[in-house]
Amino acid sequence: MKKILIVDDDIDLIMQYTPVLQQAGYQVTAAYNGQEGFEKFQAEKPDAMIVDLAMEHFDSGFRLCRQVKKTAEGQKIPVIIMTSAAHETGIALSVGTEEEKQWIAADDYLEKPVSAKDLVLYLKEKVFKE
């Protein structure tokens, strides 16, 4: 069973995603800020992480992704930023090039809102290629 760590300060979003992901066969662990996210990453050793960008600080997700990707375990797992930053600021993020991936320190980027069902499809088809 693949383990997903969701790091987002939106408790409602995590409560919406968790049962759908569990029903799809994933084990879900949640954290609600960057520090807790890194602690759970170290303790839980997830197979993938989904990280909000703006949590306790506007760039908490970037900081967490960089912290995770500096570890040997973090380099092996997909880390996906999921945010509404582009919608709110008009600044779109991209992972189209290796330079862009290194800049955001994530393997992919999803623009919120993402339905729980679409997230399951994304994980199955693009992340885990099931």
Side-chain angles (χ1 to χ4, degrees):
M1 179 181 286
K2 299 284 187 184
K3 188 183 300 183
I4 310 293
L5 172 58
I6 302 174
V7 185
D8 198 308
D9 60 350
D10 185 342
I11 294 169
D12 292 336
L13 182 135
I14 291 173
M15 292 182 69
Q16 175 190 359
Y17 285 165
T18 297
V20 177
L21 290 170
Q22 289 172 332
Q23 191 172 23
Y26 297 111
Q27 181 179 346
V28 179
T29 301
Y32 302 96
N33 60 55
Q35 181 176 344
E36 183 183 12
F38 190 69
E39 290 168 1
K40 289 209 171 174
F41 160 74
Q42 291 179 308
E44 301 286 334
K45 309 226 182 294
D47 297 296
M49 290 179 65
I50 299 169
V51 179
D52 186 21
L53 180 58
M55 292 180 281
E56 67 271 32
H57 301 288
F58 74 97
D59 63 346
S60 296
F62 284 145
R63 292 180 190 185
L64 175 59
C65 290
R66 286 190 175 96
Q67 199 173 15
V68 166
K69 286 297 187 183
K70 285 182 181 175
T71 68
E73 295 85 13
Q75 292 176 16
K76 296 175 189 170
I77 67 167
V79 177
I80 297 103
I81 289 180
M82 187 166 62
T83 182
S84 58
H87 177 72
E88 294 171 1
T89 65
I91 299 170
L93 300 173
S94 175
V95 291
T97 68
E98 283 304 314
E99 184 177 73
E100 290 169 332
K101 281 184 181 180
Q102 287 181 355
W103 186 77
I104 70 171
D107 299 287
D108 206 355
Y109 160 78
L110 297 175
E111 181 69 30
K112 287 180 180 175
V114 177
S115 75
K117 287 184 178 182
D118 286 344
L119 184 59
V120 168
L121 287 174
Y122 170 79
L123 289 168
K124 287 185 181 293
E125 293 176 3
K126 299 210 175 193
V127 175
F128 297 121
K129 301 180 181 11
E130 298 172 328

